[in-house]
Amino acid sequence: MRYLVKSLKFTAAASLLVFAAGATFAQEIKLGYVVGTLANQYNVATARGFEAAAKEAGVQTVVLDPQGSVEKQTIAIDQLLAQQVDGVAFLPLDSILAQSYVDKIDAAGIPAISIAGQVGDPTKVDLRDVYRRLVALVSTDDVRAGEVAGELAATMLPPGRKAKIAVVEGAPGYAVLELRSQGFKNALDAAGANYEIVASQPTDWTPEKGEAVCKNFLATTSDIDLIFSQADDMAIGCARAIKAAHSSAKLVATGGGSKLGNDAIAAGEIDASVCTQPAFLGRLLFQELFKAATNKDTLKARFVTYDLTPITKDNLAECPPEW
């Protein structure tokens, strides 16, 4: 059986756990977090939320940056195990390889939690079917995020003909690529949209690469009707490419909620996005990891998430930027 936990806000639950355990005991706990890369501001926000919640609770943390390298992430996991931390969290760079991390951590008797990335093959396993040896997956529901973007996109497609859509993907290896695209297509199909995906290309999550990819899309297919970006960062660059090409293509993103992304929506450069909360996820990550580190009977294979909000120029105030 799998368990879903939906958190609408971060409460003082972790602090209450610390109080119950005793402040001195809390100071003896050390929790480790291996991010994907601190070159990505979304990842930075998750680490900031994690460390802030830990500091408030008086718990020690070790945050390691593998710089986007799968090899370095593997080494970082081993480093945390060698330091005998009481809990290990990581943002998986390779969702399939991540299973071996969890197996190794669990075999050492230490709780493991994945944040913002599925453990297992996303083409074979449902997002909410959390890997059994993982304590929890703390994540935006990326299928739902794609669906919200698809619902927004469906209202922007031209009537009476087949619309041409291009997809700006994130970096290869991340499970969210498959999940966000899956949700996006699900929503378009549910809306009865008449469309075809004319191009889809990976990036490195940066605005610069987003701009280059969209420039290529528009040079190859000048009459694209809509571009779906799997994150705000690439959409920011894509907006520049659309403007330079004098294109009328609509631009819809997910993974939104950054200051630059919100500013681009306010300026009309991005038509819509989906609000995500990486700093909030980092706080939830601490809460769940501390709980598991101090209670060996904590249930495993739980999916911890929160509600998602579509954002346009009209409701930006509902999504204050976290990075």
Side-chain angles (χ1 to χ4, degrees):
M1 178 177 287
R2 299 294 184 259
Y3 299 87
L4 167 66
V5 178
K6 182 170 286 189
S7 296
L8 300 180
K9 64 180 181 177
F10 180 86
T11 66
S15 296
L16 291 173
L17 285 170
V18 174
F19 178 77
T24 301
F25 175 67
Q27 292 172 5
E28 296 172 354
I29 297 293
K30 181 185 291 186
L31 304 177
Y33 175 29
V34 182
V35 296
T37 170
L38 290 178
N40 181 301
Q41 291 306 305
Y42 182 99
N43 293 2
V44 171
T46 65
R48 185 173 66 247
F50 175 75
E51 292 184 293
K55 183 177 181 180
E56 291 164 8
V59 175
Q60 302 176 65
T61 59
V62 180
V63 175
L64 301 178
D65 178 13
Q67 302 172 324
S69 164
V70 172
E71 181 181 2
K72 289 181 179 179
Q73 186 166 64
T74 303
I75 293 171
I77 296 289
D78 289 337
Q79 287 177 339
L80 290 179
L81 292 177
Q83 292 182 39
Q84 297 183 323
V85 295
D86 299 289
V88 174
F90 65 98
L91 195 160
L93 293 169
D94 185 311
S95 59
I96 297 175
L97 179 62
Q99 282 190 196
S100 66
Y101 299 163
V102 177
D103 291 343
K104 184 187 300 184
I105 297 165
D106 185 61
I110 298 171
I113 292 183
S114 171
I115 179 172
Q118 188 175 5
V119 172
D121 187 342
T123 66
K124 298 178 180 179
V125 181
D126 185 82
L127 174 67
R128 297 186 179 216
D129 188 13
V130 179
Y131 186 54
R132 62 184 179 80
R133 299 182 76 172
L134 196 67
V135 169
L137 165 57
V138 178
S139 179
T140 301
D141 185 336
D142 286 299
V143 174
R144 180 58 190 153
E147 288 175 350
V148 175
E151 291 164 0
L152 291 164
T155 68
M156 302 176 189
L157 299 180
R161 63 175 175 84
K162 181 171 287 187
K164 296 181 179 181
I165 298 176
V167 180
V168 183
E169 301 175 358
Y174 283 80
V176 296
L177 274 64
E178 174 69 24
L179 299 173
R180 291 177 184 176
S181 284
Q182 174 191 328
F184 182 71
K185 294 173 186 175
N186 288 348
L188 290 177
D189 293 342
N194 183 15
Y195 73 97
E196 63 176 322
I197 305 294
V198 297
S200 186
Q201 189 172 330
T203 66
D204 58 1
W205 297 112
T206 65
E208 293 74 22
K209 190 65 174 179
E211 182 175 6
V213 165
C214 287
K215 182 178 180 180
N216 181 57
F217 286 163
L218 294 167
T220 304
T221 310
S222 60
D223 58 345
I224 287 175
D225 295 295
L226 184 140
I227 296 176
F228 168 51
S229 174
Q230 291 187 338
D232 265 10
D233 283 356
M234 295 92 76
I236 291 165
C238 188
R240 296 196 291 261
I242 291 173
K243 182 178 181 180
H246 304 288
S247 170
S248 59
K250 297 294 185 180
L251 179 56
V252 175
T254 187
S258 68
K259 183 181 186 306
L260 291 177
N262 282 14
D263 288 347
I265 291 175
E269 297 165 356
I270 298 175
D271 292 285
S273 190
V274 181
C275 186
T276 53
Q277 300 173 264
F280 176 66
L281 276 184
R283 285 181 166 271
L284 288 180
L285 173 63
F286 168 75
Q287 179 174 291
E288 296 299 324
L289 194 58
F290 182 81
K291 185 192 304 180
T294 55
N295 181 2
K296 300 303 181 183
D297 294 327
T298 300
L299 293 174
K300 289 188 175 182
R302 290 175 298 113
F303 182 64
V304 180
T305 191
Y306 58 94
D307 286 333
L308 292 166
T309 304
I311 48 175
T312 65
K313 187 184 296 187
D314 296 330
N315 71 331
L316 279 174
E318 295 179 25
C319 185
E322 290 194 352
W323 79 101

